């Protein structure tokens, strides 16, 4: 089976938990876009693991994790994350492949992202240098992971980049210039540490005939560079169409796509969010759902489930089955609002996103802790009704329901 996992909202849908849960049946877990802006939280055996860059299926020791070509790769973050993961599996390095085609995030990307966010209006990025690294990639001046192993070539590219970036840093932002030598030495050290993991993932995956591959999307469909709420988006394609170019497999490689959606909606960073709720409901969701960014710690904006957003995202990725996450969080609400459409539009349209007026349906809450429940039949009637309502309005089948952060807190419907 070749299965893609994509988020149907603005990220943080719980893709990490779903990948960790499903990965026991897979041989490979491939990240195909994004970088250390991702914040996938996985709780296993009472311990919380936060993955930013490393594929989070790796807690399953049968899995080989691949960081694909479509990703932007920050070696500093990777080395730190690897250290944490080694406390779980000292041999985890043997199960990680990093694409030599992936672009490197350099210190100037991170610095410029921070400065731009702090000195201009900004869009509320994670300040991880993601957009800046993709800018260089598409501007054809980026440096790739594979360049690390040709030191002269790496040095030349670094020199050209540093001279341009230092002009921007000094002339526009009146900041200190960066040292080419320091960065060179630092990256040569990383190169040695990373050497056993560097690969051409396209040949590995092409040879994985008959193997099960899970493609782990990061961020969410509404953060897609083209189809999201531009310009308040990330700099990569977050929809399932991105899998193929993100790891070099033919476009027919994906057999199935699961869409992951919270039972409500959240967004972190700036930009339109039609069902944002700043009243008691939104506050309750934030408190009970512990809605704070895994990468930045920022409080997430919260609101009701938006049927049209999920339908829009599902269409873009060919999703027919969804995983409904954080369902237990709704257990503290007396009544639950669901947006079933808009007064002023037929469906979700990113160009209208800041002006859309949701039409709400109010349904009774289930007012009980459902986090221990593992079978759909055991859910309270109002909870079952909510799931059926989501299915009816989105025209999508709910395949799994997550009722808590632990791996086994999952209901197969
Ligand atoms: P960037 O990806 O850091 O450039 O940030 C661009 C936008 O995407 C900002 O609104 C971020 O908050 C958002 N974003 C990036 N990564 C994630 C994520 O993993 N979850 C949720 N939002 C994200």
């Amino acid at each position: 089976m070749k299965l893609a996992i994509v988020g149907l909202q603005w990220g943080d849908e719980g893709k990490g938990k779903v990948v960790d849960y499903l990965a026991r049946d897979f041989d490979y877990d491939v990240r195909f876009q994004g970088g250390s802006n991702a914040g996938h939280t996985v709780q296993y055996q009472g311990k919380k693991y936060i993955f930013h860059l490393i594929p989070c299926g790796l807690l399953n020791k049968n899995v080989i994790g691949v960081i694909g070509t479509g990703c932007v790769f920050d070696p500093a973050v990777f080395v730190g994350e690897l250290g944490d993961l080694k406390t779980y599996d000292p041999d985890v390095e043997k199960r990680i492949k990093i694409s030599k085609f992936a672009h490197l995030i350099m210190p100037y990307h991170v610095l410029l992202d921070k400065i731009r966010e702090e000195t201009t209006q900004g869009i509320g990025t994670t300040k991880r240098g993601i957009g800046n690294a993709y800018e260089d990639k598409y501007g054809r001046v980026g440096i790739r992971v594979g360049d690390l192993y040709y030191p002269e070539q790496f040095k030349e590219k670094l020199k050209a980049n540093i001279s341009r970036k230092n002009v921007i840093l000094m002339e526009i932002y009146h900041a200190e210039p960066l040292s080419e030598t320091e960065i060179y030495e630092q990256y040569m050290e990383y190169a040695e540490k990373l050497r056993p993991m560097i690969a051409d993932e396209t040949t590995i995956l092409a040879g994985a005939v008959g193997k099960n591959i899970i493609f782990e999307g990061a961020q969410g469909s509404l953060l897609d560079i083209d189809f999201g709420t531009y310009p308040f988006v990330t700099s990569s394609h977050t929809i399932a169409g991105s899998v193929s170019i993100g790891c070099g497999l033919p476009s027919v490689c994906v057999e199935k796509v699961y869409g992951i959606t919270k039972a409500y909606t959240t967004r972190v960073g700036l930009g339109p969010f039609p069902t944002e709720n700043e009243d008691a409901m939104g506050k309750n969701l934030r408190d009970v759902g512990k809605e704070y960014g895994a990468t930045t710690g920022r409080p997430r904006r919260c609101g009701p489930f938006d049927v049209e957003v999920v339908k829009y995202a599902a269409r873009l990725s060919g999703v027919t089955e969804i995983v409904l996450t954080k369902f237990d969080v709704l257990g503290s609400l007396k009544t639950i609002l669901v947006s079933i459409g808009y007064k002023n539009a037929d469906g979700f349209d990113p160009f209208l996103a800041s002006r859309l007026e949701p039409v709400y349906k109010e349904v009774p809450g289930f007012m009980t802790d459902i986090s221990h429940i593992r079978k759909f039949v055991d859910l309270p009637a109002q909870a079952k009704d909510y799931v059926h309502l989501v299915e009816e309005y989105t025209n999508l089948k709910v395949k799994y329901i997550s009722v808590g952060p632990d791996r086994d807190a999952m209901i197969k419907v």
Side-chain angles (χ1 to χ4, degrees):
M1 156 90 112
K2 312 275 189 287
L3 172 72
I5 299 291
V6 296
L8 298 181
Q9 298 164 315
W10 280 277
D12 308 316
E13 296 93 350
K15 296 177 292 294
K17 150 138 194 200
V18 175
V19 170
D20 173 62
Y21 173 79
L22 296 174
R24 74 186 75 161
D25 297 324
F26 286 83
D27 303 293
Y28 291 91
D29 173 8
V30 181
R31 281 275 318 260
F32 53 93
Q33 47 78 219
S36 49
N37 49 347
H40 289 172
T41 310
V42 175
Q43 199 162 305
Y44 177 55
Q45 292 179 337
K47 204 177 162 209
K48 205 173 183 181
Y49 298 86
I50 299 184
F51 293 82
H52 296 291
L53 185 58
I54 295 183
C56 55
L58 280 172
L59 291 179
N60 296 266
K61 292 190 178 163
N62 49 301
V63 168
I64 295 174
V66 176
I67 300 176
T69 295
C71 296
V72 282
F73 182 83
D74 186 333
V77 175
F78 177 84
V79 166
E81 223 170 280
L82 184 68
D84 290 346
L85 203 51
K86 275 182 159 177
T87 62
Y88 168 76
D89 175 8
D91 284 333
V92 72
E93 265 177 66
K94 295 187 185 138
R95 297 191 285 119
I96 299 180
K97 306 286 172 206
I98 304 162
S99 170
K100 63 180 184 180
F101 300 111
H103 277 249
L104 284 167
I105 296 191
M106 306 297 293
Y108 44 80
H109 293 135
V110 181
L111 186 59
L112 284 163
D113 193 3
K114 279 190 186 139
I115 295 180
R116 193 153 68 184
E117 282 294 311
E118 283 158 17
T119 59
T120 65
Q121 172 92 33
I123 61 148
T125 72
T126 57
K127 300 182 188 170
R128 297 296 187 112
I130 305 301
N132 305 67
Y134 279 113
E135 274 171 37
D136 281 357
K137 167 174 171 166
Y138 290 103
R140 294 164 294 181
V141 293
I143 309 180
R144 300 199 278 181
V145 169
D147 289 319
L148 289 169
Y149 302 96
Y150 302 92
E152 285 314 309
Q153 188 171 309
F154 178 82
K155 201 179 233 170
E156 228 172 83
K157 291 187 177 188
L158 179 64
K159 191 183 182 66
N161 272 287
I162 283 280
S163 59
R164 279 192 297 264
K165 305 299 182 199
N166 276 346
V167 172
I168 299 172
L169 282 170
M170 291 188 295
E171 302 293 322
I172 301 180
Y173 297 118
H174 310 294
E176 292 295 315
L178 289 169
S179 154
E180 184 190 319
T181 321
E182 268 174 37
I183 298 176
Y184 176 78
E185 282 167 7
Q186 178 73 78
Y187 274 65
M188 286 299 112
E189 262 179 49
Y190 291 142
E192 279 322 300
K193 284 203 178 109
L194 301 174
R195 194 184 282 279
M197 289 170 271
I198 306 303
D200 170 354
E201 93 282 26
T202 68
T203 27
I204 295 176
L205 295 176
V209 182
K211 299 279 185 192
N212 293 325
I213 308 180
I214 194 162
F215 301 99
E216 175 185 334
Q219 293 81 47
S221 304
L222 277 292
L223 290 171
D224 184 277
I225 182 78
D226 279 330
F227 302 106
T229 45
Y230 191 89
F232 301 96
V233 292
T234 192
S235 292
S236 60
H237 286 287
T238 56
I239 62 172
S242 164
V243 166
S244 165
I245 46 167
C247 68
L249 279 175
S251 57
V252 289
C253 64
V254 177
E255 293 163 344
K256 203 172 239 323
V257 187
Y258 286 171
I260 318 302
T261 168
K262 274 182 188 158
Y264 49 98
T265 316
T266 63
R267 167 161 212 177
V268 63
L270 303 176
F273 175 3
T275 62
E276 180 166 19
N277 183 300
E278 288 171 287
D279 303 333
M281 180 180 183
K283 196 175 166 320
N284 182 295
L285 293 173
R286 184 176 312 117
D287 292 347
V288 180
K290 299 188 183 66
E291 294 293 355
Y292 295 88
T295 304
T296 58
R298 291 177 290 179
R300 294 185 187 134
R301 301 154 64 193
C302 301
F305 187 81
D306 188 330
V307 164
E308 294 297 343
V309 160
V310 169
K311 273 166 65 182
Y312 171 76
R315 172 168 63 76
L316 291 170
S317 286
V319 166
T320 49
E321 288 164 311
I322 57 178
V323 182
L324 199 62
T325 60
K326 295 193 99 165
F327 194 35
D328 54 311
V329 174
L330 295 182
S332 57
L333 297 173
K334 248 198 210 124
T335 55
I336 308 170
L337 294 178
V338 182
S339 167
I340 53 168
Y342 306 117
K343 287 181 201 145
N344 54 345
D346 279 342
F348 184 80
D349 176 351
F351 285 90
L352 288 178
S354 61
R355 296 189 292 284
L356 290 169
E357 295 172 40
V359 175
Y360 289 111
K361 189 176 169 74
E362 193 169 337
V363 296
F366 32 98
M367 291 297 283
T368 179
D369 178 11
I370 57 163
S371 59
H372 56 284
I373 295 178
R374 298 290 175 267
K375 286 195 183 128
F376 188 76
V377 287
D378 296 335
L379 284 172
Q382 293 91 334
K384 284 185 201 144
D385 289 346
Y386 189 88
V387 174
H388 291 139
L389 179 139
V390 166
E391 288 188 322
E392 185 192 336
Y393 279 93
T394 58
N395 204 18
L396 298 164
K397 168 93 189 79
V398 174
K399 174 112 182 151
Y400 295 95
I401 302 170
S402 169
V403 290
D406 276 320
R407 183 184 284 175
D408 73 334
M410 197 72 115
I411 297 172
K412 190 162 190 238
V413 182

